[in-house]
Amino acid sequence: MRRAPTLAVLALALCLAWPACAEMVWRRGALGDPGSLDPHKATTLIESNILTELFEGLLSRDAAGRLIPGAAAQWSVDETGLVYRFRLRPDAVWSNGDRVRAQDFVYAFRRLMDPKTGAPYASILHTLKNAAAVNAGTAPPEALGARALDDGELELTLEAPAPYFLEQLAHFTAKPLHRASVEASGGDFVHPDRLVTNGPFLLKKFVPADAVTLEKNPLFHDAASVKLDRQAFIPLEDRSAALRRFMAGEIDSYDEVPVEEIGFVRRTTPQALKLSDSFGGYYYALDTRRPPFDDARVRNALSMAIDRTFLAERIWGGTMAPLESFVPPGLPGYGAPQAPDWARLSLSARQEEARRLLREAGFGEGSAPLSVDIRFNNAGSHRATAVAVADMWRAIGVAATVTGTDAVSHYAFLREKPPFGAARMSWYADYPDAQNFLFLGESGNEGLNAASYRNEAFDALMREAAAARDPAARTAALRGAEARLLKDQPFVPLMAYRSSHLVSERISGFEPNPLDVHPGRYVSVAPKP
């Protein structure tokens, strides 16, 4: 005997047939797999994009990259500029239902600075009082300038006034952690079955080389405004394959347009191409720990022989801009870009000067040539860039080779830093301030100083900038530090990034911005026609 369908079955059938009831999923093509989803072990933009969805810090960012309240509903700073107090929003809860408390931030900040954690990005929050000493193991974690006044109020004390401090609090290293779940799971607390988060999305699944899948967090304080049901971060290091999948409708967006396909995209689907200026730089780090790269003459010779305009326009199809400064242009209040003295010379004159410097350094006629291997990750135009730079170096008598690996292996190489010649690195601003680029050269920044650069004069200028209360004096010290870096060339600036994205017309809420942040909580995806 056939039963009449229940109301629930009829409702389900109607929903499946009606586009408005369909699950809303943003299929995001990513540049690779994340190396870690532990906020204290992550280092790359790939990881940052995911962690921003899983965790919410004291402050957050809107669709245009502007600062907005996050887990903190309000805050104040005292007249010294050193003591900040944050009142947490009462409706901020963890994905397991526990309230987000001030103690969760204290625990996370102490774990970040604990030398046993080995956080490569810890130095970004050395702005906190005693953070550098705690991170170095010379002060106990309790000495850190972070304390809970009660469950709902957090006090943070700085080492010196920092005008960018609130910007730092939106960074992925400044997220809270749920202590009980972290300690119960040990180092594997980021497993989908165990990760407790407080952001707009939850970690549902992570299958390497397939996808990182997130689901909407129903307990997020602004869940009612989040339109997406799921996000899938799909790792696609092959940019051309990513474009094919985008054109076929298999992904809704991708984080970088293949340079060789820019013309095709502009002709066939111009509305999908999103280009914008970005606070990001593309560099080659030179291993200053060992000869001959410990010699500034060698480093300058290598840098001045590079035709950056050729790289930006011919290799990258105009999606990059030539960069001779270390700090990319456009950062608020920093002034015009700086450049080395030799930047005003023609390319042929620079090549001749490069040969002279190499002869001075012992690589002239009758001696073995300088040998340099360029390491990079096999994605986009990085190989083409390395091959072009190798040809430019051969023009001044350098024996140059290239070595490419997958993204995860390359970034692990940069963290572990075995001996090398030149290694590709990039940096996107975590917050719009020149300090966020220049701190990469500080001798104490072991995790991110890929060149292992050590210079007391540079460090002194960075300390002077950190202590300065007058904005003009601070800018002058930062510009002095950059001039020192450009004179020594431990990092060879090549190009400034321009963000290039493929974004389906079905996507709403995706706003190009200089920080290149695109939180999923503001995005919606229209049904396919």
Side-chain angles (χ1 to χ4, degrees):
M1 179 172 139
R2 291 177 61 191
R3 293 189 181 185
T6 65
L7 288 176
V9 171
L10 287 172
L12 177 61
L14 286 171
C15 186
L16 291 174
W18 188 254
C21 290
E23 187 179 49
M24 188 181 292
V25 182
W26 182 11
R27 298 163 303 170
R28 304 177 66 166
L31 299 180
D33 272 324
S36 175
L37 293 180
D38 180 340
H40 299 162
K41 300 295 178 67
T43 59
T44 70
L45 188 62
I46 297 168
E47 295 151 345
S48 176
N49 288 339
I50 299 171
L51 291 170
T52 297
E53 309 291 359
L54 296 174
F55 294 93
E56 183 178 56
L58 293 165
L59 278 80
S60 187
R61 295 195 183 277
D62 66 11
R66 296 175 295 237
L67 278 183
I68 59 170
Q74 58 191 38
W75 56 86
S76 62
V77 58
D78 72 356
E79 64 280 1
T80 69
L82 294 174
V83 181
Y84 288 74
R85 286 191 175 179
F86 299 86
R87 172 56 61 178
L88 303 189
R89 53 188 317 131
D91 54 351
V93 298
W94 291 100
S95 53
N96 67 350
D98 292 348
R99 180 184 174 186
V100 175
R101 304 177 306 145
Q103 292 89 337
D104 298 325
F105 284 94
V106 174
Y107 168 70
F109 290 148
R110 288 178 178 176
R111 180 180 183 268
L112 174 69
M113 294 304 160
D114 189 336
K116 293 193 294 292
T117 301
Y121 230 137
S123 61
I124 197 172
L125 281 173
H126 280 186
T127 36
L128 291 172
K129 187 173 181 61
N130 297 324
V134 174
N135 199 208
T138 58
E142 295 74 22
L144 187 66
R147 66 184 184 121
L149 302 180
D150 56 42
D151 282 356
E153 190 165 10
L154 175 71
E155 181 180 274
L156 298 178
T157 303
L158 307 190
E159 193 71 45
Y164 49 84
F165 180 59
L166 291 176
E167 300 273 358
Q168 288 183 320
L169 295 180
H171 190 256
F172 64 77
T173 52
K175 308 300 186 189
L177 287 176
H178 186 264
R179 182 172 187 167
S181 62
V182 171
E183 294 183 344
S185 304
D188 197 26
F189 74 95
V190 297
H191 190 278
D193 292 336
R194 292 187 282 273
L195 184 60
V196 177
T197 61
N198 72 321
F201 293 88
L202 310 170
L203 180 62
K204 178 66 175 178
K205 191 190 312 183
F206 176 17
V207 180
D210 179 53
V212 177
T213 304
L214 312 184
E215 284 190 350
K216 179 178 176 178
N217 178 4
L219 297 183
F220 181 60
H221 60 81
D222 194 31
S225 299
V226 178
K227 299 180 178 64
L228 294 174
D229 296 299
R230 281 193 297 126
Q231 295 189 65
F233 289 83
I234 302 167
L236 297 167
E237 288 193 49
D238 185 331
R239 269 62 166 171
S240 295
L243 174 60
R244 290 193 295 273
R245 293 189 65 172
F246 178 81
M247 298 298 288
E250 296 175 8
I251 57 174
D252 304 308
S253 65
Y254 189 61
D255 288 343
E256 191 175 292
V257 182
V259 173
E260 64 276 14
E261 304 288 1
I262 285 284
F264 169 78
V265 172
R266 282 178 168 146
R267 289 192 306 273
T268 59
T269 180
Q271 70 281 358
L273 180 60
K274 308 295 182 185
L275 293 175
S276 62
D277 290 333
S278 176
F279 298 145
Y282 187 116
Y283 313 90
Y284 279 170
L286 301 176
D287 189 354
T288 63
R289 297 169 299 178
R290 64 188 187 97
F293 308 107
D294 59 348
D295 189 330
R297 294 172 299 183
V298 169
R299 300 194 299 267
N300 271 276
L302 292 172
S303 186
M304 66 177 63
I306 295 172
D307 185 346
R308 292 160 172 82
T309 301
F310 178 89
L311 297 179
E313 295 181 1
R314 297 290 296 278
I315 301 296
W316 288 86
T319 60
M320 296 278 208
L323 183 66
E324 289 167 333
S325 61
F326 186 75
V327 177
L331 287 169
Y334 189 64
Q338 301 190 83
D341 292 339
W342 47 257
R344 67 183 185 277
L345 301 175
S346 67
L347 178 60
S348 59
R350 295 204 316 264
Q351 289 174 327
E352 187 55 42
E353 176 63 8
R355 294 185 190 101
R356 185 190 68 78
L357 288 173
L358 289 179
R359 287 194 298 270
E360 272 190 13
F363 296 100
E365 295 179 6
S367 60
L370 170 66
S371 295
V372 185
D373 183 53
I374 304 172
R375 298 190 64 94
F376 56 92
N377 52 306
N378 278 323
S381 294
H382 301 321
R383 175 174 290 278
T385 301
V387 169
V389 171
D391 284 342
M392 295 169 193
W393 285 350
R394 291 186 190 110
I396 60 169
V398 174
T401 56
V402 301
T403 300
T405 63
D406 64 274
V408 172
S409 298
H410 180 70
Y411 293 124
F413 182 92
L414 289 180
R415 287 193 301 272
E416 295 161 8
K417 290 191 286 192
F420 65 94
R424 189 200 83 83
M425 59 170 280
S426 59
W427 191 258
Y428 280 91
D430 299 306
Y431 44 90
D433 192 279
Q435 180 272 348
N436 187 229
F437 285 88
L438 295 170
F439 88 124
L440 296 173
E442 291 179 345
S443 59
N445 191 351
E446 296 287 346
L448 299 174
N449 185 345
S452 300
Y453 178 61
R454 301 284 186 275
N455 185 281
E456 178 52 36
F458 174 84
D459 289 345
L461 284 163
M462 293 299 290
R463 289 193 296 268
E464 181 182 333
R469 306 226 173 171
D470 175 59
R474 178 178 182 270
T475 298
L478 289 174
R479 290 182 70 84
E482 184 185 15
R484 182 84 237 178
L485 209 59
L486 293 174
K487 181 180 179 181
D488 288 351
Q489 292 287 313
F491 305 93
V492 176
L494 297 178
M495 293 167 286
Y497 275 98
R498 289 174 179 153
S499 295
S500 63
H501 293 269
L502 290 168
V503 182
S504 168
E505 289 184 282
R506 297 168 50 234
I507 297 284
S508 299
F510 185 103
E511 297 187 27
N513 59 81
L515 290 174
D516 205 23
V517 294
H518 307 284
R521 63 186 284 196
Y522 305 108
V523 168
S524 61
V525 183
K528 290 184 178 180

